[in-house]
Amino acid sequence: MGKSRTKRFKRPQFSPTGDCQAEAAAANGTDPEEDDGPAAELLEKLQHPSAEVRECACAGLARLVQQRPALPGLARRDAVRRLGPLLLDPSLAVRETAAGALRNLSACGGFEVCDDMVTKDIMTPLVALLKEVLSCVLFHLILGAVLFGSTGLDSNEMSPQEKKDQNRNSIENIANEAVNVLWNICECSSRAVSIFNKEGCLEIVLKYLSRFSTNVDLAISVAYCLQTVTEDNPELLKSFSAPALHVLESAMLSPVSSMEYILLKTLVAGTIWNLKDIIPSKSQAEIINAILKILSEVLEMDAGETVIQMKETETQRIKTAAQTEDTLQNVNGDDLIEDDEMEEIPHRRKVRRKTFISDLLPPTDKELRETIALLTAQQTALEIIVNMCCSEDPTDDEWEELSSSDESDAFMENSLSECGGQLLSPLCLSHEVHAALTNYLIPKKIFEKTAFPNSIAVDVCSRNPSWKPLIRKMSTIQCRALVCLQSLVSLLDVDHLGGPAALQTLAQHLSQLLFSQPDFAKHVDFLEAISSALRALLQTVASKNIPQCMTPDQLLTLCRAGIHSSNVGVRVNVVSILGITGSVLAKEDGTLDTLKTIGCFLLEVATKDPSLVVAGEALDALFDVFADGKEAERASVQIKLLSALKEFQPVFKMKIRKEGRAKYSPDQLCVLDNVKMNLRRFVAYQETVEKRLTT
């Protein structure tokens, strides 16, 4: 079998409600035209002369775009063209809410909506806004708020310093929303990335990033954006100067160790990895070590314990705040404290500042935000490691479309010659990455992350609605760790993984993870991740002649459950696992019955699976299992493999001809053509086997 592939990770599509409330219209029994009512009214109010009305309309649209049934109506009414000019509205509040609405639209709408936003020229006002925020004009506006007018607050209740701070915060909030819009669109549209390159957006966002010490939230948004636009973008890499690299280095090496800074440093580390081609060769080892040192420190933290501790901290803080507020209310007999200090405001009128108790408290979700930052940092760190391990030749779409399929050694040789050597190029690690992974004990830390989430942490989160989404994030980290483990097992030497004994221990661990969940087949993400890891492990163990730790019966149980999955990747993995197992058993004595069971299973998948990718993988596995060995030859004759394949051969050719171009990429068709060729050769080989055994 060939090397297993790992798909490179990109940010999953954001959905604030989990499903974008897709059931809303269906539940109401309405069609899209009937749902246009709220959209039409809100879009009309965007032109209202009152800034407050425009702001409320933008806020309403920000909520409405989270409902997927509303998106077609908004598109018909040209919502993007109507919202775009409000990014440059005279009111700061309108700018911020308009950017927020566009941010939600780009996050919930997906690739088609983002591409349509570029078509509707959203990049023009967006880039203008980002440039203006940095301009001297806005600097003067921050100081005096001369041209923008009221931000919606009563100026009589604010001191000059408070006005200045309020406007500065508003502008930085606008910048944060705008950067998120830019990030979302560039994630989904290559045209947006091209505009990013041409309009000099790199210089703008780097200036925002340079303010990481005063606004870490904005810096994190910029880091996300940079990690996206620097991937596979050689044109942009030319724009990185020494000062630009210094900004990234300063952020990555910041001594601050809060969880939000941990996330920032992790994201910047991912960006710097994307820039590796422009880093001088003499500095590459140092840079790779710095990147993996950060990733190692992130993965070393115990996420489960952090969740428990931070939730306890939040509970205690809220309890203390409530007690403090009760005490102060008893003392003052009111819900506010009056400062003894009298402040001067314009017109020489003196007022007492009202300071509400809530103003004295930190944000109510402080602990939750920090915990989410850590979990996101760990997930990002694992994804960066996977991407570091991946070949640079295939595109992300190829990784996803090919669904981590396996090829036999003979098949790989044919494919490399006939497909230009790109489709199946072997995965490899540079010496520097190889050494750094080992030095920082990355394999050991990834192994630890493959365990199920801390049960106490899960229980704590399940009892609090605002913390409940963290359960899924912890599960995602486990799945990412399993995929990361797959990469390392495929790429590192056995000695660097701890030797044969460590691989056997790993097999036992994965077996325990898998079979400790009776309903494992229902958890698709987990099943795909663990089957990928098992596949890579069995492949490595087989290639090194290390005794298998999982029994054929266990593997057949996994495969029988996995082959019914709707996920093509899962089905490809389980077929590959049986191919690896069967090829090992074919060389042993007393395995006839098991080989017959495996052969019948693979034959059924090859002839009945609706996906040609899975069918091709099953055929490839059959080629491996029955390519050699006395037991394999006897088994092939007894299950009548030759006649079944002869009957299926024209059907397979016809399906490729009929479905190929419509359903599969050129690279997948190249793979299928090789399988078709190998099928013809294998049938000829089986004819000689059957003739020899029956005469």
Side-chain angles (χ1 to χ4, degrees), residues 259 302-314 367-368 371-372 374-375 454 456-461 467 470-471 474:
M259 294 180 195
D302 189 325
E305 287 299 322
T306 300
V307 168
I308 296 168
Q309 292 171 9
M310 295 301 283
K311 187 66 185 74
E312 288 177 352
T313 302
E314 180 193 69
E367 293 81 8
L368 178 60
T371 307
I372 291 174
L374 174 62
L375 295 176
N454 184 312
I456 299 175
V458 171
D459 183 60
V460 165
C461 292
W467 286 70
L470 270 61
I471 299 175
M474 289 187 282

Side-chain angles (χ1 to χ4, degrees), residues 507-508 510-511 514-515 534 538 548-552 554-555 558:
Q508 291 172 348
L510 295 178
S511 174
L514 183 64
F515 295 109
L534 269 173
L538 293 172
Q548 301 275 358
C549 285
M550 295 184 68
T551 67
Q554 285 179 313
L555 295 173
L558 164 64

Side-chain angles (χ1 to χ4, degrees), residues 81 84 88 123 157 183 188 273 283 325 344 371 380 461-462 470 473 482 517 551 577 580 613 617 633 659 661 679:
R81 290 193 193 277
L88 302 172
M123 292 293 286
E157 295 184 359
W183 167 35
C188 299
W273 170 254
S283 303
E325 187 162 2
E344 288 285 345
T371 307
T380 303
C461 292
S462 65
L470 270 61
K473 292 189 76 69
L482 286 166
Q517 288 203 93
T551 67
I577 285 171
I580 297 166
V613 172
E617 184 69 28
E633 291 179 351
E659 302 176 12
R661 296 188 184 280
L679 176 58

Side-chain angles (χ1 to χ4, degrees), residues 13 33 59 314 328-329 342 409 425 525 532 577 627 657 672 682 690:
Q13 187 172 322
E33 291 292 341
E314 180 193 69
L328 290 172
Q329 285 180 350
M342 303 292 286
D409 293 335
S425 56
D525 292 343
S532 296
I577 285 171
R657 187 170 58 251
L672 291 171
F682 186 73
E690 188 163 309

Side-chain angles (χ1 to χ4, degrees), residues 643-654:
S643 60
L645 291 179
K646 276 186 172 181
E647 183 180 348
F648 180 63
Q649 195 172 9
V651 176
F652 187 62
K653 289 180 181 178
M654 182 270 293

Side-chain angles (χ1 to χ4, degrees), residues 123-422:
M123 292 293 286
T124 296
L126 180 61
V127 173
L129 172 63
L130 289 166
K131 289 180 178 179
E132 188 175 327
V133 168
L134 287 173
S135 69
C136 294
V137 173
L138 279 178
F139 177 73
H140 290 298
L141 295 179
I142 292 173
L143 293 179
V146 177
L147 298 179
F148 281 111
S150 171
T151 61
L153 299 173
D154 185 353
S155 61
N156 291 333
E157 295 184 359
M158 298 176 66
S159 68
Q161 182 60 42
E162 285 175 324
K163 290 180 183 178
K164 177 180 174 180
D165 292 342
Q166 178 67 36
N167 280 283
R168 184 182 66 246
N169 291 337
S170 294
I171 287 182
E172 291 189 346
N173 289 341
I174 292 169
N176 194 18
E177 296 287 359
V179 169
N180 273 277
V181 177
L182 182 65
W183 167 35
N184 291 340
I185 296 176
C186 288
E187 183 81 60
C188 299
S189 170
S190 59
R191 290 188 296 156
V193 174
S194 179
I195 295 170
F196 183 100
N197 295 345
K198 293 175 182 176
E199 292 295 329
C201 293
L202 176 63
E203 182 180 357
I204 300 170
V205 296
L206 282 172
K207 286 181 179 177
Y208 290 136
L209 181 62
S210 66
R211 294 174 52 81
F212 69 87
S213 60
T214 59
N215 192 331
V216 69
D217 289 338
L218 177 56
I220 287 172
S221 297
V222 170
Y224 270 120
C225 185
L226 284 172
Q227 193 181 23
T228 294
V229 298
T230 54
E231 188 172 2
D232 302 323
N233 188 355
E235 181 183 346
L236 184 64
L237 299 194
K238 300 173 186 176
S239 303
F240 273 89
S241 59
L245 293 173
H246 179 70
V247 171
L248 295 174
E249 182 183 6
S250 298
M252 187 175 75
L253 301 179
S254 169
V256 183
S257 59
S258 71
M259 294 180 195
E260 289 170 329
Y261 271 84
I262 288 172
L263 174 57
L264 173 62
K265 290 189 281 188
T266 304
L267 292 167
V268 174
T271 299
I272 292 177
W273 170 254
N274 291 342
L275 303 178
K276 59 188 177 299
D277 291 341
I278 64 170
I279 296 173
S281 56
K282 63 181 180 180
S283 303
Q284 284 186 356
E286 181 183 355
I287 293 297
I288 289 171
N289 269 282
I291 291 172
L292 283 171
K293 181 175 184 292
I294 288 171
L295 303 185
S296 175
E297 291 171 351
V298 171
L299 295 176
E300 195 166 2
M301 300 183 71
D302 189 325
E305 287 299 322
T306 300
V307 168
I308 296 168
Q309 292 171 9
M310 295 301 283
K311 187 66 185 74
E312 288 177 352
T313 302
E314 180 193 69
T315 302
Q316 186 58 46
R317 176 179 58 77
I318 294 173
K319 181 180 177 181
T320 302
Q323 292 173 346
T324 303
E325 187 162 2
D326 288 343
T327 301
L328 290 172
Q329 285 180 350
N330 291 336
V331 170
N332 294 316
D334 200 352
D335 62 348
L336 56 86
I337 313 166
E338 293 185 350
D339 285 355
D340 291 332
E341 175 188 358
M342 303 292 286
E343 294 185 353
E344 288 285 345
I345 63 169
H347 310 300
R348 300 291 179 183
R349 187 166 59 87
K350 293 185 177 181
V351 299
R352 291 189 180 274
R353 278 178 51 212
K354 294 190 291 186
T355 306
F356 288 88
I357 296 298
S358 58
D359 295 336
L360 302 175
L361 303 177
T364 56
D365 63 348
K366 178 178 181 293
E367 293 81 8
L368 178 60
R369 284 168 56 85
E370 291 189 6
T371 307
I372 291 174
L374 174 62
L375 295 176
T376 305
Q378 292 197 338
Q379 177 180 331
T380 303
L382 291 166
E383 292 171 358
I384 292 170
I385 293 171
V386 170
N387 292 347
M388 291 174 79
C389 295
C390 281
S391 168
E392 295 301 317
D393 288 338
T395 65
D396 290 317
D397 289 339
E398 289 166 7
W399 287 114
E400 292 167 6
E401 289 168 357
L402 290 172
S403 302
S404 303
S405 61
D406 248 349
E407 289 73 27
S408 67
D409 293 335
F411 181 25
M412 174 173 277
E413 291 172 2
N414 292 331
S415 299
L416 285 174
S417 61
E418 296 173 26
C419 299
Q422 292 185 346

